[in-house]
Amino acid sequence: MQKILVVDDVEVNRELLRQILEDEYIVEIAEDGEQAICYLAESHEDTAAILLDLQMPKMDGMAVIEQMKRKGWMPRIPVLIISGEYAVEVESRCFELGVSDFIHKPFESSIVRNRIRNTMELFSRRNQLERKIEEQAETLREQEEIIRIQAEKLREERSFNRLMMEYRSAIKEVETKLQVLNEEFSQEYNRNPFEAIKSRLKTPASIFEKLRRKGYPLTLEAIRDNLSDVAGVRVICSFPDDIYRIGNLLTKQDDIILLQAKDYIKNPKPNGYRSLHYILDVPIFLSNEKKYMNVEVQFRTIAMDFWASLEHKLRYKKNWDRADADEIVAQLKACADSIEELDYRMQKIRDKIDRCSKE
């Protein structure tokens, strides 16, 4: 049977609670706060709940709660206050200190038993959930540490470094092709179709985290066969129609293979994200062979890139409550819609300027 500690300086209350509870629990008694703390010093691990009076000599109930908090007992022992008062301020203060519930005088047997039973059950479930969350967090930390160690080991291996060199070479091939197109446009149309080219190579830790998340083995073959975004190029264009023009010219080149296209401009993501994504097979020319490597190429306007960059930073901010999160998501979507309108308005202005200059 579970042990319950009843702490009350009034003998009648102690005995009445003992009679109500003794069929279901082992009932221990303390006549004041000092006795309660002495008892808990020896038996806090075996105590399933405490029924605590607030008004007592020597050490009152509030002082007992403060002592329990200092000693770290409150998180594992539910405390129910025995009270004849219904003062809102007192109850609020007790709940702030971590009290689980109140049992009001005069005692009604069924209410006392049900409140204790429900409180202990909820307390147990909460502690089980917290332990489960902590175990999952510890497992995640261990997995992340394993990934970090494996990534560091692989970073030092010659075969991994060669694979990363090949991905870097593929990025350079794409960048060169784009720069040639940009130079041609500059000569033919007296303007440049894009503003900037950004590239990135996934870090070893990021590569292995994605392999683990998708259930693939942590091998070079798995990287090459299953990850299409190790090498990435982002092209920042001036106007939406430049995106499609440059994307079409790039993918039509006879040594480029278009593996996948996702148009998030015509079909934006629910959060408002807009961009044109290509997965390309790009040839690289090594000393003794020609081989194809996957490169992810994203095309965005300046406005799209500005929105995506800020949205990414905001998304990883912590401590949003649900109401704030919903409002922020709605505002980001509204901003994305405004940016889309701005892109096409600017494109119309450019078209009008081009027509006027030809007249």
Side-chain angles (χ1 to χ4, degrees):
M1 294 172 71
Q2 294 176 299
K3 289 183 181 180
I4 289 181
L5 176 63
V6 175
V7 187
D8 197 317
D9 62 318
V10 178
E11 184 177 2
V12 172
N13 291 335
R14 297 196 300 268
E15 291 306 314
L16 182 56
L17 288 170
R18 186 202 295 273
Q19 292 174 16
I20 292 171
L21 300 173
E22 62 185 358
D23 289 342
E24 297 181 49
Y25 306 99
I26 298 172
V27 181
E28 303 288 351
I29 298 296
E31 297 179 4
D32 56 49
E34 288 185 352
Q35 285 188 13
I37 294 300
C38 289
Y39 174 85
L40 290 172
E42 299 292 331
S43 305
H44 63 273
E45 293 184 356
D46 301 325
T47 303
I50 299 173
L51 276 57
L52 178 65
D53 188 24
L54 290 180
Q55 304 297 327
M56 295 182 294
K58 297 183 181 179
M59 179 186 289
D60 64 15
M62 288 294 190
V64 171
I65 294 170
E66 294 287 357
Q67 283 281 347
M68 290 181 65
K69 285 178 70 68
R70 279 196 290 272
K71 293 178 181 295
W73 299 336
M74 287 293 287
R76 65 161 310 275
I77 309 175
V79 176
L80 297 90
I81 297 298
I82 305 168
S83 175
E85 300 180 14
Y86 286 85
V88 174
E89 300 82 7
V90 174
E91 293 198 5
S92 294
R93 176 60 180 155
C94 288
F95 283 128
E96 288 173 1
L97 291 171
V99 165
S100 296
D101 204 350
F102 279 74
I103 296 176
H104 292 287
K105 304 171 188 176
F107 303 130
E108 166 56 45
S109 299
S110 62
I111 292 176
V112 170
R113 284 193 291 267
N114 284 326
R115 281 187 181 271
I116 293 173
R117 188 181 302 114
N118 291 342
T119 296
M120 290 171 60
E121 183 177 344
L122 288 172
F123 207 85
S124 175
R125 288 182 179 177
R126 188 194 73 182
N127 285 346
Q128 288 174 5
L129 180 60
E130 288 177 350
R131 284 195 297 272
K132 187 174 182 179
I133 291 172
E134 180 55 35
E135 288 170 3
Q136 290 174 339
E138 180 60 29
T139 299
L140 183 59
R141 286 192 290 270
E142 291 174 357
Q143 290 175 341
E144 289 174 346
E145 180 63 14
I146 290 171
I147 288 173
R148 186 192 66 79
I149 293 171
Q150 289 175 326
E152 288 300 320
K153 286 182 178 178
L154 198 59
R155 190 199 299 269
E156 298 171 1
E157 291 187 10
R158 186 173 180 178
S159 56
F160 178 78
N161 288 329
R162 180 175 176 82
L163 180 61
M164 292 301 102
M165 177 275 291
E166 292 172 355
Y167 278 118
R168 282 193 297 271
S169 299
I171 288 173
K172 291 176 182 178
E173 290 286 343
V174 173
E175 289 177 333
T176 299
K177 290 177 178 294
L178 289 168
Q179 287 163 359
V180 169
L181 289 172
N182 197 45
E183 182 70 20
E184 181 186 5
F185 264 69
S186 179
Q187 292 293 322
E188 292 292 325
Y189 305 106
N190 199 30
R191 71 180 183 86
N192 301 100
F194 56 80
E195 301 290 328
I197 301 174
K198 303 176 183 178
S199 62
R200 64 105 184 95
L201 195 65
K202 274 187 179 293
T203 64
S206 179
I207 290 170
F208 282 107
E209 192 281 328
K210 190 165 186 178
L211 287 174
R212 181 193 61 79
R213 179 159 38 88
K214 290 183 172 290
Y216 296 124
L218 306 182
T219 64
L220 296 181
E221 291 74 18
I223 296 172
R224 187 187 294 276
D225 295 342
N226 300 296
L227 301 187
S228 58
D229 62 346
V230 174
V233 176
R234 186 180 305 155
V235 186
I236 312 302
C237 296
S238 304
F239 302 99
D241 62 358
D242 286 334
I243 288 176
Y244 293 105
R245 184 178 292 112
I246 295 298
N248 188 48
L249 290 171
L250 178 64
T251 55
K252 276 188 172 180
Q253 297 192 16
D254 59 11
D255 59 348
I256 292 284
I257 301 172
L258 175 60
L259 299 177
Q260 186 181 80
K262 291 184 179 180
D263 192 340
Y264 296 116
I265 298 175
K266 293 179 179 177
N267 301 290
K269 290 186 178 181
N271 67 345
Y273 174 84
R274 297 165 61 242
S275 184
L276 178 64
H277 289 204
Y278 287 153
I279 303 298
L280 306 178
D281 236 1
V282 178
I284 61 172
F285 301 88
L286 304 172
S287 61
N288 59 350
E289 64 176 327
K290 168 187 172 182
K291 63 168 39 176
Y292 279 82
M293 304 296 295
N294 284 174
V295 179
E296 181 187 53
V297 183
Q298 300 178 2
F299 295 88
R300 300 174 184 169
T301 64
I302 301 169
M304 293 176 198
D305 192 59
F306 167 75
W307 182 92
S309 176
L310 290 184
E311 190 272 345
H312 179 79
K313 292 176 182 177
L314 293 172
R315 183 155 33 98
Y316 288 97
K317 295 287 186 182
K318 306 299 182 183
N319 302 322
W320 288 3
D321 63 38
R322 186 68 251 175
D324 286 341
D326 290 343
E327 181 184 354
I328 290 167
V329 168
Q331 290 183 8
L332 284 168
K333 177 61 168 63
C335 288
D337 294 341
S338 298
I339 282 173
E340 179 181 20
E341 181 183 357
L342 175 63
D343 269 338
Y344 285 102
R345 286 180 66 184
M346 295 296 290
Q347 183 171 288
K348 287 179 180 179
I349 293 171
R350 182 213 61 189
D351 292 343
K352 187 172 183 178
I353 291 172
D354 287 348
R355 287 194 301 270
C356 292
S357 64
K358 292 176 182 178
E359 293 175 356

